[in-house]
Amino acid sequence: MASEAAVNATKSAAEAVGSAAGAANQTGFTGGPGFDTGTSILSTAGWLAFVLGVIFLVYWLLKRFGPSTFAGGGRGALRLEERVLVGNQQSICVVKYKERTFLVGATNQSIRLLADLDKQGLSGFEEALSQSVVGDGEE
């Protein structure tokens, strides 16, 4: 009886292996020399190129349109707080460096410090602006 059970177990195991092999043949994978490695290598290379392309595209979009902290463009100590155009290619800018704030006038030819807003406050701005306008007219 024990040998009959062993024979039945062997037969059922052989049938299971045979049905698995038949299923593998139906899917096209034979597991032998019929497997085309050229196609699989090209497919893998294609997917790799696609994934690298997507990564590059995301990097480029974040660098172009994303926050300035990405890709080494972190916020430094110098920041342009505000800029107002006052004439043809002339502007007045509020620039912050670390904890200090400056009022700067900029043209194509020069950049001038109009006021140190931390030291002078708003009244210093008005005074520096009037001196700058009068001083530019005398030059």
Side-chain angles (χ1 to χ4, degrees), residues 24-122:
N25 285 335
Q26 289 176 356
T27 60
F29 177 72
T30 60
F35 185 69
D36 187 9
T37 57
T39 304
S40 67
I41 290 173
L42 288 177
S43 176
T44 303
W47 279 108
L48 179 64
F50 174 75
V51 169
L52 290 176
V54 168
I55 290 171
F56 177 77
L57 178 67
V58 168
Y59 171 78
W60 181 79
L61 287 172
L62 283 174
K63 188 174 180 182
R64 175 105 169 122
F65 302 109
S68 63
T69 58
F70 187 74
R75 291 182 67 98
L78 184 65
R79 291 190 320 230
L80 178 65
E81 295 288 318
E82 192 170 344
R83 180 179 178 191
V84 177
L85 294 172
V86 292
N88 187 18
Q89 299 178 354
Q90 299 170 347
S91 62
I92 296 177
C93 307
V94 176
V95 178
K96 189 165 193 164
Y97 179 71
K98 294 184 180 180
E99 298 297 320
R100 296 183 63 189
T101 307
F102 302 98
L103 184 70
V104 176
T107 66
N108 282 345
Q109 293 79 25
S110 68
I111 298 174
R112 293 180 94 183
L113 175 65
L114 300 177
D116 184 348
L117 296 179
D118 290 334
K119 290 183 180 178
Q120 297 178 354
L122 188 58

Side-chain angles (χ1 to χ4, degrees), residues 114-136:
L114 300 177
D116 184 348
L117 296 179
D118 290 334
K119 290 183 180 178
Q120 297 178 354
L122 188 58
S123 63
F125 162 70
E126 294 168 351
E127 182 180 321
L129 184 61
S130 65
Q131 288 176 357
S132 176
V133 170
V134 172
D136 284 343

